[in-house]
Amino acid sequence: MSPLIGVAELAARLDDPGWRVADCRWYLGEPERGRAAYAAGHVPGAVYVDLERHLSAPEGPGRHPLPDLAGFAAAMGGLGVGSGHTVVAYDDRGGAVAARLWWLLRHAGHEAAYVLDGGLTAWLAAGLPLTAERPRHAPAEFHPGLGAMPIVDRDDLRARLAEIEVVDARDPARYRGEHEPIDPVAGHIPGAVNVPYEGNLGPDHKFLDPEALRARYPAGSAPVVVYCGSGVTACHDILAMTVAGRADAMLYPGSWSDWSTAGYPVSTGG
């Protein structure tokens, strides 16, 4: 099954008590803007899932360390998301942040997880309503299990650079090392190919068809590792690869924010 869901199907399920909708809007450098946007209007029934509070750990490698499974399960349960729920995540950036929730759910063994194709842009384009009313979900039991989404740390990645394909999901200028607005060193992991996550989307913010997505990514049989700045938009590339039929890509959670602080080799240029 596709990890994407369309707005018509979601709209038809809004009253289904077995479904949960998650608003994942978040903006770099403006930590409260996403919550404010949610308060002003969101998909009916949606809870707000904060990247830094719910989808990241306070400490760990990189700027957005992965939460441990127990912490993530507690966060989901507190929002009323339980193991028996089907979860649909959305944002207003074509899934750039929503894909992190999708990935974490799958990583925690929760298979009934989807991203709204086109996100809030597609929802509004379809003439569907928003609301400022917040849902009153009771706390739920979320039991994490053995997930399908593998990870790799920086030392393992460095040791395996000669045998794996590495995908960098950042914008081309950051990949080439022409500028670096956030992290201490500019450039990319040696041998990495640049597949910016924005290119997974069409003008309508919906994902390209599977064949077009397949053409964007390494086609060989070697294992694939994906990274970005802090392990968030890399999940978008993994989502796109899953849509394209390849669901075994590994995430480097610390990503460039971790690698660039370690004194490890760096490449620049195209």
Side-chain angles (χ1 to χ4, degrees):
M1 294 180 62
S2 173
L4 303 176
I5 188 171
V7 294
E9 184 176 356
L10 177 58
R13 294 283 194 166
L14 288 184
D15 295 326
D16 189 329
W19 284 53
R20 292 288 185 264
V21 183
D23 185 315
C24 300
R25 282 177 283 180
W26 180 84
Y27 308 92
L28 183 64
E30 301 176 86
E32 297 304 316
R33 180 180 164 194
R35 190 177 296 275
Y38 168 81
H42 51 265
V43 172
V47 296
Y48 184 66
V49 178
D50 186 88
L51 171 63
E52 295 181 331
R53 178 182 173 189
H54 301 120
L55 306 182
S56 303
E59 297 179 351
R63 282 182 280 111
H64 290 117
L66 285 186
D68 61 44
L69 291 181
F72 177 65
M76 291 297 99
L79 292 168
V81 177
S83 294
H85 289 120
T86 295
V87 184
V88 179
Y90 75 87
D91 55 39
D92 58 358
R93 295 171 55 197
V97 183
R100 169 82 164 210
L101 174 56
W102 167 83
W103 186 92
L104 273 167
L105 287 165
R106 295 295 310 278
H107 182 62
H110 191 87
E111 295 186 2
Y114 301 91
V115 170
L116 182 62
D117 197 14
L120 200 60
T121 302
W123 185 266
L124 294 173
L128 293 166
L130 300 181
T131 182
E133 182 178 352
R134 302 188 184 204
R136 297 180 179 179
H137 298 317
E141 293 290 331
F142 187 99
H143 302 287
L146 183 61
M149 296 299 186
I151 61 174
V152 63
D153 64 25
R154 68 188 184 195
D155 292 327
D156 190 23
L157 175 57
R158 185 183 185 187
R160 299 176 63 189
L161 283 179
E163 63 187 58
I164 61 177
E165 298 275 6
V166 182
V167 170
D168 184 320
R170 297 174 302 160
D171 73 78
R174 288 185 71 192
Y175 166 82
R176 292 191 296 264
E178 295 169 4
H179 77 107
E180 179 47 65
I182 306 170
D183 296 313
V185 177
H188 59 266
I189 294 173
V193 296
N194 189 210
V195 187
Y197 82 90
E198 295 97 328
N200 295 322
L201 306 171
D204 56 1
H205 288 202
K206 294 182 181 180
F207 278 77
L208 304 176
D209 64 70
E211 184 177 355
L213 290 173
R214 275 194 293 274
R216 303 194 74 226
Y217 292 93
S221 60
V224 175
V225 171
V226 187
Y227 76 95
C228 57
S230 66
V232 177
T233 57
C235 297
H236 197 276
D237 272 11
I238 294 175
L239 175 60
M241 294 180 70
T242 303
V243 173
R246 180 163 190 174
D248 61 345
M250 294 177 280
L251 175 68
Y252 171 23
S255 286
W256 189 248
S257 58
D258 178 48
W259 187 275
S260 62
T261 64
Y264 284 3
V266 170
S267 293
T268 56

